[in-house]
Amino acid sequence: MATKEKQEEMTRRQFLTTVGKVGGSAAVFSLMGTMGLLAPETLKAAEFVPPGQSDLKLSGRGGKKIIILGAGLAGMTAAYELGLAGYDCTILEAKSFAGGRCWTIRKGTSVSEIGSGRQTARFDSGMYFNVGPMRIPQFHVTMEYCRKFGIAVEPFNNVNESGFYYNENAGALSNRRVPKRAAKADVRGYTAEMLAKAVNQNLLDLPLTSEEKNKLVDYLRAEGDLSPDLFYKGSSRGGYKEEPGGALDGGVRRDPFDLKSIIDSGFGRYFSNEYSYDQQMMMFHPVGGMDKISEAFVKRVGNRIRYRAEVKAIRQSGEGVKVLYSSPDTGVQKEITGDYCICTIPLSVLKNIPADFSPEMSKAIASTNYASAGKIGLQFKRRFWEEDDHIYGGSSLTNMDITQIFYPPNDYFSKKGILLGYYAYGGNADKIANLSYIERERLALSQGGKIHPQYAKEFEASFSIDWKKTKYQEGGWASYSSDDRKSFYPALCKPDNRIYLAGEHLSYMTGWQSGAIESARIVVKDIHTRVMKA
Amino acid sequence: MATKEKQEEMTRRQFLTTVGKVGGSAAVFSLMGTMGLLAPETLKAAEFVPPGQSDLKLSGRGGKKIIILGAGLAGMTAAYELGLAGYDCTILEAKSFAGGRCWTIRKGTSVSEIGSGRQTARFDSGMYFNVGPMRIPQFHVTMEYCRKFGIAVEPFNNVNESGFYYNENAGALSNRRVPKRAAKADVRGYTAEMLAKAVNQNLLDLPLTSEEKNKLVDYLRAEGDLSPDLFYKGSSRGGYKEEPGGALDGGVRRDPFDLKSIIDSGFGRYFSNEYSYDQQMMMFHPVGGMDKISEAFVKRVGNRIRYRAEVKAIRQSGEGVKVLYSSPDTGVQKEITGDYCICTIPLSVLKNIPADFSPEMSKAIASTNYASAGKIGLQFKRRFWEEDDHIYGGSSLTNMDITQIFYPPNDYFSKKGILLGYYAYGGNADKIANLSYIERERLALSQGGKIHPQYAKEFEASFSIDWKKTKYQEGGWASYSSDDRKSFYPALCKPDNRIYLAGEHLSYMTGWQSGAIESARIVVKDIHTRVMKA
């Protein structure tokens, strides 16, 4: 075992985590952590020591009242973890349901976007689509809560070689759907050929022995499926014109695209989407809808939630916190007081709520940008992507406004299905946001129909969301530049007297449920430490 | 639409398929096929027109007796498709159960390998592992039978960036488990850097405009996660030493391995395993075990199967076929006669059965090689790969004898799990085949334990199979060189008078269940055509 190397890699946090643990499985963790054999994320999870019930009882510091603003995943995580220790938590939630962006659209879901009329989902019973987060990397803490709460998960097919690339204004391959496997085989083939020949002919100044160069060429031959003399002449990896089959049916391999066409197509730029750390396989989602997660939290902390409680002002003094809120239905104003406040309201909303924040905090809140993001679900009466194209989950990518289509990674073989007809962000999302619900539907159908002509015949119903136009959310997720992280972001992370901010926007995993959970756990630890010290 | 280009790609088979169809969904297929919008595999499926019940009745050619040898997927597909049309099929199966290599090991599974004692699986109830085929590419005809028979499928995680590479005698990274994501990030990074610089400095003689060269460099920058000046300096794609998290926890990226080490490691050679056409994502497997497929067939053709019927001789004349068989339990000899015979017995077994084959056929049967393949299932009392390492399905690859470890792609979060402790072929399989059951277990535990030290503490029970030592199978799958395909293979595909061979070995998808099914469907069509012509 190269134990020495691994020990050198051990970080302060790993060390602290390791020595902070005692007994049982913790002792195993400790031993294994020392050996460097635990995943960093496991160590991260082990690092969170939730407040214990005995801490407060023994210390006589029980009964601390915590006001939590927002029943999204951050707010409910905080209520759950603090509640286990005996803190008295109350969650104020403006909507009539919990979960925040962890939201699954089903038959009858009804919502009015800011400045628009009402839209009601006419999907069939039992059908759903996740309009907020839809996938969970296997190493995110979200998976640990799924495990703990007994939420069944199934793979989210974030990679599928049978999906298509489709680009407009991209040379000879414009306006043509090309299977991902075909584009990958050709791009990898041609580039491997170029590099293998260059290495072989010693055109590059590489710090390698000739044996190492041979190994590199061997790798490139395998990587690009090159001929022995290092040419890319097409590959079965890219698929077939005629599939191989039984008896004498050897199949006919597709012809590769020529080098110019495949470079001009721009398809290669899509490959690395699948490489990024939080998009790599395997990914998961709860069986039956992402809202199984919020439901599981509600089962545990639902009795602490006051719904339809729109926060009007956040006040604090040396003694405590007072929050004024009112029902958007009755207008009746109420107030609640507590020892501390955990505010998970998105900063795009919070910046317009009067609050006793320091000027530094107020400025940081106002400075935070939110990403534009929008999705549409399209119900089809036949799963033609499975039946005709043999695409089971995964996506097709395009440079049209719709950006991407996702095929449902659930209920394979069933009769109907809801496709994610677009998932747009940035400029594309802004453009789509300005359309009416029906115009969005038309856009999704006309552009998506170029990739799947079956759209026209099989379409049944749509439901679209723009996150910036969604009340109490007003944005997809917090979006920081690296300058933002240095300038105003640290101010958001510091408690402002008795008020703590939490949420995906208080994390380096913005846009992920894990960001909300990790952020909440840090605030829980901070508050508990402060209470115990007091 | 680039319809013209696609039409040019249309093949004879696609054309024939298209025009051979009439009415209903067939008409849609026809239209869409003309437009070039159906996947080749869909066209392949559409091409199979099963014999209709009315064909035989109307023609007065009913009651033809078909003797099928072997109740694997080929034999049962033939019985199912012919049975629908009213053929009188009888399947002789030497074992006491159907499915052939489509076999799932559960508690109580008991078997004696050729030349060895009895082995009985001591797994817990409800636990299983697929000792034969374990995954289905989404485009294989096997999926169509799952759909038709109502067999629920779930993804088989054939790609998982959290799995490990572990090589011995491979330079500085020897004896060290390295996450796949880390190896891929580094190899892709360094090679993209080499090529991008070479293109940028015009070191290569490429038939590209300078605009196209820029596009190529753009692609390489994205592909390798290179700096603006085209250096690979590590990438978050490779993972973290400290995971990013909440508040100020920005994470600490891992340091890349140096170029020499990562080349010497040989890890790059593993990447392309995931690229091959039939190993690409998405892949699937039946919920609850691969034998759900054989069960579904048995439900439909089980009343045609005679179990414990070991074929002793295959005789034929101008009038019909006669098969002599006996029970290995009682030794009582029986015979059955029929009009035609479909023989799906593996050629490794068939070559030792007296049969009225032409010299050409006999020689071809004797010439066919079979692949060595072996697997072991290891039951652990804790799913440490999920709990400690956040690996949900997928594999780790190694140059040790065990070749690879697969993590169960099912029942995530449950208490226990069965790992595929090795899946070896070729020389490694031969080496392991010679070990006793307990020696195989020790080998799997000691080598696998180098990657997962938790093995020692958590292991409970094992069950291993070597396919060459498995009675009535005697091999993993038929293994043809391209010379074999030209020389003797065509003889296997021709009916020998009244006897037709079928099975994965009669296909260009050897080792796959789809090969068995496609092969059987061809024979079904051939026999039906012959009967109708007679």
Side-chain angles (χ1 to χ4, degrees):
Chain A
M1 301 290 308
T3 307
K4 191 153 161 279
E5 257 169 314
K6 282 174 194 156
Q7 278 175 338
E8 281 163 12
E9 273 183 13
M10 182 171 285
T11 60
R12 191 184 51 83
R13 180 162 71 193
Q14 287 170 337
F15 181 73
L16 287 175
T17 301
T18 302
V19 299
K21 293 275 164 192
V22 283
S25 64
V28 177
F29 269 53
S30 168
L31 176 62
M32 290 175 45
T34 311
M35 293 166 68
L37 284 163
L38 280 182
E41 183 59 40
T42 304
L43 287 161
K44 188 171 195 62
E47 190 194 11
F48 175 69
V49 183
Q53 205 149 12
S54 55
D55 294 351
L56 292 174
K57 276 187 189 150
L58 291 174
S59 65
R61 289 187 181 87
K64 291 291 172 200
K65 283 179 68 179
I66 316 290
I67 307 169
I68 299 171
L69 307 181
L73 254 52
M76 292 197 290
T77 299
Y80 171 74
E81 296 293 354
L82 287 168
L84 289 180
Y87 284 86
D88 176 13
C89 299
T90 302
I91 307 180
L92 303 182
E93 170 55 49
K95 297 181 194 170
S96 54
F97 59 92
R101 279 157 286 181
C102 171
W103 190 21
T104 302
I105 307 301
R106 303 166 192 282
K107 180 178 182 174
T109 302
S110 185
V111 71
S112 301
E113 285 187 2
I114 297 164
S116 300
R118 182 155 291 274
Q119 183 189 197
T120 301
R122 297 174 294 108
F123 298 137
D124 284 15
S125 297
M127 312 282 292
Y128 66 87
F129 90 102
N130 297 317
V131 76
M134 62 181 181
R135 47 195 160 184
I136 309 170
Q138 62 197 321
F139 47 81
H140 273 186
V141 68
T142 316
M143 289 286 276
E144 299 308 311
Y145 280 84
C146 288
R147 178 202 307 282
K148 190 184 336 207
F149 293 167
I151 300 166
V153 298
E154 61 187 338
F156 181 95
N157 314 359
N158 214 40
V159 168
N160 190 335
E161 300 305 320
S162 293
F164 297 106
Y165 298 129
Y166 182 100
N167 278 350
E168 297 183 331
N169 306 310
L173 297 179
S174 296
N175 307 332
R176 179 168 173 180
R177 68 179 201 179
V178 170
K180 291 182 180 179
R181 64 166 59 84
K184 286 185 183 173
D186 289 356
V187 173
R188 286 184 179 140
Y190 287 124
T191 54
E193 175 185 324
M194 289 176 200
L195 184 55
K197 285 177 175 166
V199 173
N200 218 31
Q201 294 161 25
N202 274 307
L203 298 181
L204 311 179
D205 183 28
L206 298 175
L208 299 175
T209 64
S210 67
E211 193 196 333
E212 284 161 351
K213 284 183 190 170
N214 286 340
K215 282 183 186 168
L216 177 56
V217 170
D218 277 352
Y219 154 72
L220 291 165
R221 194 182 280 113
E223 183 72 6
D225 202 6
L226 307 182
S227 63
D229 54 345
L230 303 179
F231 282 91
Y232 175 67
K233 301 172 177 174
S235 166
S236 61
R237 295 173 187 170
Y240 290 81
K241 281 192 282 193
E242 290 192 12
E243 296 283 321
L248 297 171
D249 198 357
V252 181
R253 226 166 62 180
R254 66 176 273 278
D255 303 314
F257 298 121
D258 64 88
L259 175 63
K260 276 174 174 289
S261 301
I262 197 69
I263 288 179
D264 286 341
S265 73
F267 295 151
R269 290 298 303 272
Y270 291 129
F271 303 171
S272 48
N273 290 2
E274 297 168 4
Y275 302 165
S276 73
Y277 184 56
D278 48 17
Q279 298 283 332
Q280 292 164 353
M281 290 293 256
M282 289 300 299
M283 306 194 78
F284 289 84
H285 64 146
V287 175
M290 193 59 85
D291 59 357
K292 297 296 169 196
I293 295 181
S294 48
E295 279 175 14
F297 273 108
V298 167
K299 200 172 150 191
R300 288 157 179 86
V301 302
N303 61 340
R304 318 303 305 180
I305 305 176
R306 298 186 192 172
Y307 292 103
R308 303 297 279 162
E310 207 178 84
V311 172
K312 293 298 180 186
I314 306 168
R315 302 295 170 207
Q316 63 172 328
S317 67
E319 283 70 51
V321 181
K322 179 164 76 179
V323 176
L324 307 178
Y325 64 99
S326 73
S327 159
D329 310 312
T330 64
V332 175
Q333 189 122 343
K334 296 183 183 174
E335 66 171 60
I336 180 171
T337 55
D339 297 297
Y340 299 99
C341 174
I342 300 174
C343 177
T344 75
I345 298 171
L347 304 185
S348 48
V349 176
L350 183 61
K351 69 181 176 189
N352 296 318
I353 298 174
D356 292 341
F357 286 133
S358 69
E360 198 193 3
M361 177 69 94
S362 296
K363 190 168 167 233
I365 290 169
S367 302
T368 302
N369 290 310
Y370 271 70
S372 303
K375 285 184 178 177
I376 195 168
L378 303 174
Q379 181 179 308
F380 291 98
K381 57 176 176 268
R382 185 172 74 85
R383 292 167 86 99
F384 54 82
W385 54 93
E386 295 180 358
E387 293 176 17
D388 303 348
D389 295 310
H390 306 286
I391 299 173
Y392 292 83
S395 66
S396 287
L397 305 179
T398 173
N399 64 0
M400 294 185 287
D401 302 329
I402 58 170
T403 312
Q404 51 198 336
I405 294 169
F406 273 86
Y407 309 95
N410 51 274
D411 301 309
Y412 311 107
F413 296 153
S414 59
K415 189 170 156 48
K416 299 183 172 186
I418 297 183
L419 277 194
L420 185 57
Y422 63 73
Y423 174 19
Y425 13 72
N428 283 341
D430 291 336
K431 190 173 159 187
I432 294 172
N434 289 327
L435 303 178
S436 67
Y437 304 131
I438 185 73
E439 286 167 341
R440 292 178 192 168
E441 178 184 295
R442 280 189 203 125
L443 178 87
L445 292 177
S446 69
Q447 294 190 350
K450 294 179 184 176
I451 301 174
H452 293 289
Q454 298 97 324
Y455 266 35
K457 191 178 164 204
E458 311 289 357
F459 174 70
E460 289 191 325
S462 82
F463 190 92
S464 66
I465 280 289
D466 176 74
W467 281 104
K468 281 209 167 159
K469 295 181 84 176
T470 298
K471 210 173 174 193
Y472 307 123
Q473 298 295 164
E474 301 195 28
W477 53 86
S479 175
Y480 301 104
S481 68
S482 50
D483 279 350
D484 294 345
R485 290 287 191 187
K486 282 173 210 148
S487 57
F488 64 82
Y489 176 75
L492 299 170
C493 298
K494 274 184 286 197
D496 188 334
N497 194 355
R498 292 178 168 270
I499 305 174
Y500 293 72
L501 302 190
E504 56 86 18
H505 49 288
L506 267 295
S507 80
Y508 275 83
M509 313 167 104
T510 52
W512 291 102
Q513 296 175 105
S514 60
I517 296 172
E518 298 275 9
S519 156
R521 285 157 55 125
I522 288 173
V523 166
V524 161
K525 232 169 38 169
D526 287 353
I527 289 179
H528 184 58
T529 305
R530 183 165 168 180
V531 166
M532 295 305 289
K533 268 193 198 153
Chain B
M1 302 292 308
T3 308
K4 193 155 160 277
E5 255 168 314
K6 282 174 194 157
Q7 277 174 341
E8 283 162 10
E9 273 185 13
M10 181 171 287
T11 60
R12 190 184 53 82
R13 180 163 71 193
Q14 287 170 339
F15 181 72
L16 287 176
T17 302
T18 303
V19 299
K21 293 277 164 191
V22 283
S25 65
V28 178
F29 268 53
S30 168
L31 176 64
M32 291 174 44
T34 310
M35 293 165 66
L37 284 163
L38 281 182
E41 183 58 39
T42 306
L43 288 161
K44 187 172 196 63
E47 191 195 10
F48 175 69
V49 184
Q53 203 149 14
S54 56
D55 296 351
L56 291 175
K57 276 187 187 150
L58 291 174
S59 65
R61 291 189 180 86
K64 292 290 173 199
K65 283 179 69 179
I66 316 290
I67 307 169
I68 299 171
L69 307 182
L73 254 53
M76 292 197 290
T77 298
Y80 171 75
E81 297 292 354
L82 287 169
L84 290 181
Y87 284 86
D88 176 12
C89 299
T90 303
I91 308 180
L92 303 182
E93 169 55 49
K95 298 182 194 170
S96 54
F97 59 93
R101 278 157 286 182
C102 172
W103 189 22
T104 301
I105 307 301
R106 304 169 191 281
K107 180 180 180 173
T109 301
S110 186
V111 70
S112 300
E113 285 187 3
I114 297 165
S116 299
R118 183 154 289 275
Q119 183 189 198
T120 302
R122 296 175 296 108
F123 297 138
D124 284 15
S125 299
M127 311 284 292
Y128 66 88
F129 91 103
N130 296 317
V131 76
M134 62 182 182
R135 49 196 160 182
I136 309 171
Q138 62 196 321
F139 47 80
H140 273 186
V141 69
T142 317
M143 288 287 275
E144 299 309 311
Y145 280 84
C146 288
R147 177 202 306 284
K148 189 184 338 207
F149 292 165
I151 301 167
V153 297
E154 63 187 337
F156 181 94
N157 313 359
N158 214 39
V159 169
N160 191 336
E161 300 305 320
S162 294
F164 297 105
Y165 298 130
Y166 182 100
N167 277 351
E168 298 184 329
N169 306 310
L173 297 180
S174 295
N175 308 333
R176 178 167 173 181
R177 67 179 203 181
V178 170
K180 291 183 178 179
R181 64 167 58 85
K184 286 185 182 172
D186 290 355
V187 173
R188 286 184 179 138
Y190 288 124
T191 55
E193 175 186 324
M194 288 176 200
L195 184 57
K197 284 178 175 166
V199 173
N200 218 33
Q201 294 162 25
N202 274 307
L203 298 181
L204 310 178
D205 182 28
L206 298 175
L208 299 174
T209 65
S210 67
E211 194 196 333
E212 284 161 350
K213 284 184 190 170
N214 287 341
K215 282 184 186 167
L216 177 56
V217 170
D218 277 353
Y219 154 71
L220 291 165
R221 195 180 280 113
E223 184 71 6
D225 202 6
L226 307 183
S227 63
D229 54 344
L230 304 180
F231 281 92
Y232 175 66
K233 300 171 178 175
S235 167
S236 61
R237 295 172 187 170
Y240 289 83
K241 278 191 283 194
E242 290 193 11
E243 297 282 321
L248 297 171
D249 198 358
V252 181
R253 225 166 64 179
R254 63 177 275 280
D255 303 314
F257 298 121
D258 64 88
L259 175 63
K260 276 175 174 288
S261 300
I262 196 71
I263 289 179
D264 286 340
S265 73
F267 295 151
R269 290 298 303 271
Y270 290 129
F271 302 172
S272 48
N273 289 3
E274 296 169 5
Y275 301 165
S276 73
Y277 184 55
D278 48 17
Q279 297 283 332
Q280 292 165 354
M281 290 293 257
M282 291 297 300
M283 306 194 78
F284 289 84
H285 64 146
V287 175
M290 192 58 85
D291 58 359
K292 298 296 169 197
I293 295 181
S294 49
E295 279 175 14
F297 272 107
V298 167
K299 201 172 150 190
R300 287 156 180 88
V301 303
N303 61 340
R304 319 301 305 180
I305 305 176
R306 298 186 193 171
Y307 292 103
R308 303 296 280 162
E310 206 177 85
V311 173
K312 293 298 181 187
I314 306 169
R315 301 297 169 205
Q316 62 173 329
S317 67
E319 282 71 52
V321 181
K322 179 165 77 179
V323 175
L324 308 179
Y325 65 98
S326 72
S327 158
D329 308 312
T330 63
V332 175
Q333 188 121 340
K334 296 182 183 174
E335 66 172 59
I336 181 172
T337 56
D339 297 297
Y340 300 98
C341 173
I342 300 174
C343 176
T344 75
I345 297 172
L347 305 185
S348 47
V349 176
L350 183 61
K351 70 179 176 189
N352 296 317
I353 298 175
D356 292 340
F357 287 132
S358 69
E360 198 193 2
M361 176 70 93
S362 295
K363 190 170 167 234
I365 290 169
S367 302
T368 303
N369 290 310
Y370 271 68
S372 303
K375 285 185 177 176
I376 194 167
L378 304 173
Q379 179 177 310
F380 290 99
K381 57 176 177 267
R382 185 171 75 84
R383 291 168 85 98
F384 53 83
W385 53 92
E386 295 180 358
E387 294 176 17
D388 302 349
D389 295 311
H390 306 285
I391 300 173
Y392 292 83
S395 66
S396 288
L397 305 180
T398 173
N399 64 0
M400 294 185 287
D401 302 329
I402 58 169
T403 312
Q404 50 198 336
I405 294 169
F406 273 85
Y407 310 96
N410 52 273
D411 301 309
Y412 310 108
F413 294 155
S414 59
K415 189 169 156 49
K416 298 184 172 186
I418 298 184
L419 276 193
L420 185 56
Y422 62 73
Y423 174 18
Y425 13 73
N428 283 341
D430 291 335
K431 189 171 157 188
I432 294 173
N434 289 327
L435 303 179
S436 68
Y437 305 131
I438 185 71
E439 285 167 340
R440 293 178 191 168
E441 176 184 295
R442 281 190 203 124
L443 178 87
L445 291 176
S446 70
Q447 294 190 351
K450 293 181 186 177
I451 300 174
H452 293 289
Q454 298 96 324
Y455 266 34
K457 189 177 165 202
E458 312 288 357
F459 174 71
E460 288 190 324
S462 81
F463 189 93
S464 66
I465 281 288
D466 175 75
W467 280 104
K468 282 209 167 161
K469 296 181 82 176
T470 299
K471 210 173 174 193
Y472 308 122
Q473 299 294 164
E474 301 194 28
W477 52 86
S479 176
Y480 301 104
S481 68
S482 50
D483 279 349
D484 295 345
R485 291 286 192 188
K486 284 171 209 147
S487 56
F488 65 81
Y489 176 75
L492 299 171
C493 298
K494 274 185 288 198
D496 188 333
N497 193 356
R498 293 178 167 269
I499 305 172
Y500 294 72
L501 301 192
E504 56 85 20
H505 49 289
L506 269 294
S507 81
Y508 276 82
M509 313 166 104
T510 51
W512 291 102
Q513 296 174 104
S514 61
I517 296 173
E518 298 275 10
S519 157
R521 284 157 56 125
I522 287 174
V523 166
V524 162
K525 231 168 41 168
D526 287 354
I527 288 180
H528 185 57
T529 305
R530 182 165 169 181
V531 166
M532 295 305 288
K533 268 192 198 152

